[in-house]
């Protein structure tokens, strides 16, 4: 297959954005940002339309958008759709067990959100209060987020897979006095004891009230005066609740990053800019058409769940599918089974899930009818071209465009992507900047590189969805993002721009290798390794090497049933040599049954780096690892390489 794939014909029909549109809109978004964003802001209903649009500086750092605008985001996601969409499904939910489903129409969503908002008010929550959500993937998770937005409370969603310790840290960090949880959640047939975890996290804490949604029916302890069943409390509250008028720059939520690179940061997003950014990106990137079923598989515990399960789709009056479980339960055809049953039009998932499903071959995909699919998307990590092709050909039957969307918790929404009806796709490249985005590649000395080049990815100008601060630590915000290159936002990612202006994320800057003076992206070496039919996944890091400066250390997991051998080691080294060149030949190969991942499924390279460097004592924060036990076996493996 060629490495430039044109949008399939159907994608171009009735698209919201052709190639010509993109060129004109992108140019205007940079030459006349105020005019452009004032126009996009009309996607949102404002109590007072802003007269000031872009008001930001990167030196000193002070960011605001739509500064004098007044709005409520819950109103925009729920109430305003009632005249036209009361009976349309807003949230289509499927539980962990196949076929267990529930739907909330926009009218139903309104009723639930009002009930939850009034429960919060009843317990004394008001504008500006932080409310921590620790929820399974059930409609009440979205309801609770929207209820907070309705009354002006700031939600902090903590992924339901986190431990009581991790939960406590996040509750304390933002001093929240309210928690919303459920008795339990189901994932892959197993009960997650959410309420019991909350009880452990709250020992000795200042949290004053906990709302408990009844979901699994498991027995839980209720602390008198503190804990309230949602069904009981919600039965007696009023059935209306006004939307709090919010200034555009009032905080909407705090979300802690996944912790791949260090201690999680409390990323703060505000109301107006985030609303415009998620509504606009959802409209263009997914090219959403009225009536379509949109399925983003992310948990609401991650930013992807915030922006593309809840706010982006609902602001656009879409039907969003929410799934409680995991992609391999009861078996690895679950996603496709759901696509078939719910006639999903747009499917958005992560490379880690695609690679895991690819391991299982085409049969589980092919046995389900996927003719409803129109568009596929990916986010979270660089996608290896091999996995991209499998997604495009096997899942999408070479019929559905794939959008590879690069963005971060910090950016609020999608930043670099192709638009499905406008651009050719290149497997492994995220694509082109979204409207208003001015990427810059900068070398170590801070020089801006022109044309085809590789460097550190910065963004030269603010965009509406940008985070405003690290909660409670503005200095960390400035230090982390604006100090390496003065006057620019530094993403922390390395990147290459090709001759067509497409961006290729090469991994975190910390992950770029310098081998005998040559700069090599870890993602490139990994993509070469996974070309081997026996290799399932690979993670590559550098380690100190006497001659080369840095040596190439490769962690490799094999397809189920395959065994490591010296012959395979030689084959893999030759494969990388052949694909990239002699300079990239791996120095050490470490076969392991699994790779350490964050709870969001990202490979935690900083731990792999430490282990490769033989720095076992200074692994840093491992609390966000999905399987902390793996670390010991990796250390053991390192001792044997
Ligand atoms: P932390 O900031 O705590 O280390 P994190 O960076 O993993 O955690 P996120 O904000 O969820 O937290 O992830 C953003 C990062 O994910 C990006 O900086 C980039 O490295 C990677 N990423 C996301 N989407 C893509 C993509 N489409 N292609 C390549 N990389 C991606
Ligand atoms: Mg990050």
């Amino acid at each position: 297959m060629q490495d430039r794939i044109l949008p399939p014909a159907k994608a171009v029909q009735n698209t919201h954005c052709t190639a010509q549109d993109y060129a004109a809109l992108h140019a205007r978004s940079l030459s006349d940002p105020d005019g452009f964003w004032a126009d996009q802001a009309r996607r949102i209903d404002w109590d007072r339309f802003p007269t000031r649009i872009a008001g930001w500086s990167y030196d000193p750092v002070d960011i605001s958008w739509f500064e004098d605008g007044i709005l409520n985001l819950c109103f925009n996601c729920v109430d305003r759709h009632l005249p036209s969409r009361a009976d349309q499904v807003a949230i289509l939910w499927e539980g962990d067990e196949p076929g267990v489903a529930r739907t909330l129409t926009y009218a139903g969503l309104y009723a639930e959100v009002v009930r939850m908002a009034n429960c919060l008010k009843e317990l004394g929550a008001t504008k500006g209060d932080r409310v921590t959500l620790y929820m399974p993937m059930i409609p009440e998770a979205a309801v609770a987020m929207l209820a907070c937005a309705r009354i002006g409370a700031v939600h902090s969603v903590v992924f339901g897979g986190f431990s009581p310790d991790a939960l406590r840290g996040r509750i304390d960090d933002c001093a929240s006095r309210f928690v919303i949880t459920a008795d339990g959640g189901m994932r892959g047939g197993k009960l997650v004891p959410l309420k019991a975890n909350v009880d452990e996290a709250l020992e000795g804490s200042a949290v004053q009230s906990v709302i408990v949604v009844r979901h699994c029916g498991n027995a839980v302890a209720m602390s008198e005066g503190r804990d309230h069943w949602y069904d009981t409390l919600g039965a007696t509250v009023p059935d209306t609740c006004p939307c709090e008028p919010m200034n555009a720059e009032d905080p909407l939520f705090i979300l802690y990053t996944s912790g791949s690179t260090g201690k999680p940061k409390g990323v703060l997003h505000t109301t107006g800019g985030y609303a415009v950014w998620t509504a606009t990106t959802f409209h263009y990137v997914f090219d959403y058409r009225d009536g379509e079923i949109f399925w983003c598989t992310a948990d609401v515990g991650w930013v992807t769940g915030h922006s593309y399960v809840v706010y982006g789709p609902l602001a656009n009056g879409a039907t969003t599918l929410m799934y409680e479980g995991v992609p391999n339960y009861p078996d690895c055809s679950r996603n496709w089974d759901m696509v078939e049953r719910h006639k999903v039009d747009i499917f958005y998932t992560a490379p880690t899930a695609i690679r895991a499903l690819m391991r299982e071959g085409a049969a589980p995909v092919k046995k389900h009818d996927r003719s409803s699919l129109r568009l596929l998307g990916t986010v979270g990590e660089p996608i290896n071209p091999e996995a991209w092709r499998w997604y495009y050909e096997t899942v999408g039957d070479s019929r559905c465009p794939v959008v590879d969307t690069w963005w971060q918790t910090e950016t609020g929404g999608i930043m670099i992507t192709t638009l499905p009806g406008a651009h050719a796709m290149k497997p492994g490249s995220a694509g082109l900047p979204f409207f208003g985005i001015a990427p810059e590649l900068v070398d170590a000395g801070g020089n801006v590189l022109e044309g085809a080049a590789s460097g550190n990815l910065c963004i030269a100008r603010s965009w509406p969805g940008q985070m405003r601060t690290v909660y409670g630590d503005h200095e960390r915000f400035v230090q982390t993002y604006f100090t390496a290159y003065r006057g620019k936002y530094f993403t922390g990612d390395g990147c290459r721009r090709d001759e067509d202006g497409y961006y290729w994320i090469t991994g975190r800057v910390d992950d770029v290798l310098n081998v005998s003076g040559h700069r090599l992206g870890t993602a490139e070496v990994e993509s070469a390794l996974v070309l081997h039919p026996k290799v399932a996944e690979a993670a590559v890091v550098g380690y100190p090497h006497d001659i080369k400066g840095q040596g190439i250390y490769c962690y490799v997991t094999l397809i189920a049933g395959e065994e490591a051998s010296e012959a395979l080691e030689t084959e893999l080294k030759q494969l990388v040599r052949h694909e990239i060149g002699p300079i990239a030949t791996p120095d050490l190969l470490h076969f392991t049954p699994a790779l350490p991942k964050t709870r969001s499924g990202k490979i935690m390279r900083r731990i792999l780096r430490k282990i490769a460097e033989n720095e076992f004592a200074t692994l840093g924060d491992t609390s966000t690892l999905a399987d902390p036990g793996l670390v010991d076996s990796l250390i053991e493996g390192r001792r044997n390489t």
Side-chain angles (χ1 to χ4, degrees):
M1 187 190 284
Q2 73 280 34
D3 75 345
R4 242 181 93 89
I5 299 164
L6 292 170
K10 247 183 119 181
V12 193
Q13 285 167 15
N14 315 315
T15 180
H16 294 326
C17 189
T18 64
Q20 289 88 326
D21 297 336
Y22 171 82
L25 287 168
H26 191 260
R28 179 168 180 234
S29 71
L30 297 183
S31 64
D32 174 21
D34 280 356
F36 180 86
W37 288 112
D39 282 354
Q40 298 302 325
R42 299 196 188 279
R43 297 178 186 285
I44 293 297
D45 284 4
W46 302 77
D47 300 349
R48 186 167 83 211
F49 194 83
T51 62
R52 292 204 289 276
I53 307 298
W56 58 272
S57 149
Y58 277 174
D59 187 14
V61 181
D62 184 10
I63 301 163
S64 74
W65 282 87
F66 312 115
E67 209 179 326
D68 57 349
I70 294 182
L71 75 160
N72 184 284
L73 187 46
C74 177
F75 177 86
N76 274 278
C77 290
V78 184
D79 306 45
R80 69 158 164 165
H81 300 311
L82 294 179
S84 56
R85 306 180 187 275
D87 298 328
Q88 183 200 310
V89 175
I91 299 179
L92 174 56
W93 176 80
E94 180 157 316
D96 193 47
E97 291 302 326
V100 173
R102 206 175 125 195
T103 53
L104 274 183
T105 60
Y106 273 94
L109 179 62
Y110 170 82
E112 283 301 319
V113 168
V114 164
R115 189 191 330 276
M116 184 69 86
N118 279 326
C119 288
L120 282 167
K121 279 169 94 167
E122 176 103 1
L123 298 172
T126 56
K127 182 173 176 180
D129 277 330
R130 275 81 57 217
V131 178
T132 298
L133 275 50
Y134 185 66
M135 296 287 281
M137 276 293 281
I138 56 175
E140 284 79 2
V143 164
M145 292 164 75
L146 293 163
C148 289
R150 190 172 193 90
I151 66 168
V154 182
H155 58 72
S156 163
V157 183
V158 177
F159 174 51
F162 274 132
S163 66
D165 267 351
L167 173 60
R168 179 189 350 231
R170 287 160 176 76
I171 289 173
D172 290 350
D173 187 78
C174 66
S176 77
R177 291 183 298 128
F178 303 90
V179 173
I180 304 178
T181 188
D183 47 6
M186 294 300 293
R187 277 171 75 83
K190 296 198 196 76
L191 178 87
V192 185
L194 295 169
K195 175 62 167 66
N197 289 350
V198 168
D199 291 340
E200 197 178 327
L202 294 193
E203 272 167 34
S205 99
V207 165
Q208 109 192 14
S209 305
V210 179
I211 297 177
V212 187
V213 175
R214 211 183 292 274
H215 175 52
C216 294
N218 53 308
V220 298
M222 295 293 279
S223 157
E224 181 71 40
R226 187 194 70 183
D227 300 347
H228 307 267
W229 285 110
Y230 174 54
D231 47 13
T232 314
L233 189 64
T236 55
V237 295
D239 58 7
T240 57
C241 172
C243 291
E244 186 72 29
M246 302 294 283
N247 184 274
E249 284 301 332
D250 281 336
L252 176 69
F253 67 84
I254 300 165
L255 180 64
Y256 293 86
T257 57
S258 69
S260 323
T261 57
K263 180 175 178 281
K265 299 171 273 283
V267 168
L268 183 94
H269 282 286
T270 57
T271 309
Y274 179 83
V276 173
W277 190 246
T278 50
T280 307
T281 51
F282 180 83
H283 171 83
Y284 281 112
V285 178
F286 300 110
D287 207 15
Y288 184 80
R289 328 275 168 85
D290 233 23
E292 287 188 325
I293 312 283
F294 178 81
W295 183 15
C296 166
T297 65
D299 192 280
V300 291
W302 314 120
V303 73
T304 310
H306 284 58
S307 302
Y308 301 111
V309 175
V310 181
Y311 290 115
L314 296 179
N316 279 277
T319 298
T320 183
L321 195 157
M322 231 179 145
Y323 169 46
E324 179 176 23
V326 294
N328 58 358
Y329 179 81
D331 62 46
C332 58
S333 64
R334 180 64 182 270
N335 281 348
W336 325 122
D337 170 36
M338 285 178 57
V339 164
E340 176 172 357
R341 281 188 289 110
H342 296 295
K343 305 227 170 347
V344 172
D345 296 274
I346 306 170
F347 180 74
Y348 188 36
T349 196
T352 181
I354 297 168
R355 289 191 301 258
L357 295 172
M358 186 168 91
R359 265 173 101 150
E360 311 289 340
V365 184
K366 297 290 178 197
K367 75 178 203 216
H368 289 287
D369 176 16
R370 286 151 289 110
S371 57
S372 61
L373 286 175
R374 183 175 66 73
L375 181 65
L376 301 171
T378 135
V379 58
E381 282 185 294
I383 181 165
N384 327 97
E386 185 74 2
W388 192 101
R389 291 208 166 85
W390 185 83
Y391 196 33
Y392 181 71
E393 292 167 4
T394 304
V395 175
D397 291 324
S398 306
R399 199 171 44 73
C400 309
V402 172
V403 288
D404 174 357
T405 61
W406 174 85
W407 59 294
Q408 310 178 296
T409 310
E410 295 88 337
T411 69
I414 294 164
M415 301 282 280
I416 297 180
T417 179
T418 51
L419 295 183
H423 303 129
M425 302 166 278
K426 298 189 184 192
S429 164
L432 298 159
F434 190 74
F435 306 135
I437 298 307
E440 279 184 349
L441 300 180
V442 182
D443 70 14
N447 305 300
V448 175
L449 308 169
E450 302 294 336
S454 287
N456 297 340
L457 178 62
C458 292
I459 311 291
R461 310 172 175 203
S462 184
W463 62 98
Q466 182 165 32
M467 73 183 281
R468 302 299 195 254
T469 192
V470 171
Y471 186 80
D473 194 352
H474 194 67
E475 192 44 39
R476 187 170 179 208
F477 179 57
V478 175
Q479 280 297 328
T480 308
Y481 305 104
F482 299 94
T483 313
Y485 306 105
R486 215 169 159 161
K488 304 181 199 307
Y489 169 78
F490 175 42
T491 64
D493 286 346
C495 185
R496 177 167 71 83
R497 182 173 49 220
D498 69 17
E499 48 302 329
D500 299 323
Y502 278 55
Y503 289 83
W504 302 71
I505 306 295
T506 49
R508 324 269 172 168
V509 168
D510 298 350
D511 296 334
V512 174
L513 306 174
N514 191 333
V515 181
S516 309
H518 298 267
R519 286 166 64 81
L520 266 177
T522 51
E524 283 178 86
V525 184
E526 288 159 11
S527 290
L529 287 166
V530 299
L531 287 176
H532 196 286
K534 291 185 181 170
V535 172
E537 249 188 322
V540 172
V541 298
Y543 72 105
H545 189 287
D546 290 346
I547 300 154
K548 303 178 175 178
Q550 264 191 316
I552 301 177
Y553 192 109
C554 309
Y555 296 87
V556 174
T557 67
L558 299 177
I559 301 268
E562 296 295 344
E563 299 259 333
S565 66
E566 248 167 66
L568 179 59
E569 204 170 314
T570 312
E571 277 176 42
L572 290 177
K573 287 186 179 172
Q574 273 164 359
L575 176 63
V576 178
R577 222 183 137 86
H578 172 79
E579 287 293 315
I580 309 175
I583 187 72
T585 312
D587 294 286
L588 290 173
L589 279 164
H590 177 156
F591 294 99
T592 165
L595 295 170
K597 296 196 176 170
T598 61
R599 300 271 173 172
S600 52
K602 295 185 195 204
I603 300 169
M604 226 196 243
R605 287 190 178 71
R606 69 181 157 88
I607 296 209
L608 293 174
R609 207 180 307 125
K610 288 281 184 190
I611 292 175
E613 289 165 353
N614 279 312
E615 298 275 351
F616 308 140
T618 53
L619 295 181
D621 182 359
T622 54
S623 67
T624 64
L625 271 180
D627 174 13
L630 188 62
V631 169
D632 288 338
S633 96
L634 286 165
I635 292 178
E636 185 60 32
R638 174 65 177 115
R639 293 205 163 104
N640 298 332
T641 51

